[in-house]
Amino acid sequence: MKRAHSIQTPRVGLVMADRTPEPVLARALPEVTRDLDLRDTFDRMLHDHLSR
């Protein structure tokens, strides 16, 4: 059975080690980045990389 390919938005993930106690930066990073819109930055970086 063939599946139709749908266009998906690229996703960037972050993996952090499970440590106790949790490092302050590891806790703060998801909170800060949640409020940022990095799509334009990643689009520009990808365009620059592919145009080389």
Side-chain angles (χ1 to χ4, degrees):
M1 209 168 156
K2 274 188 162 181
R3 286 188 180 185
H5 292 285
S6 62
I7 296 175
Q8 294 181 354
T9 303
R11 295 177 185 227
V12 175
L14 176 65
V15 177
M16 293 183 273
D18 185 20
R19 294 186 182 169
T20 304
E22 182 180 35
V24 175
L25 288 177
R27 186 174 358 134
L29 187 60
E31 293 175 16
V32 170
T33 56
R34 189 177 298 122
D35 297 333
L36 298 176
D37 180 15
L38 298 176
R39 181 181 301 266
D40 289 337
T41 302
F42 288 132
D43 284 346
R44 187 175 61 251
M45 289 172 57
L46 179 62
H47 179 269
D48 291 348
H49 176 73
L50 294 176
S51 65
R52 290 181 185 184

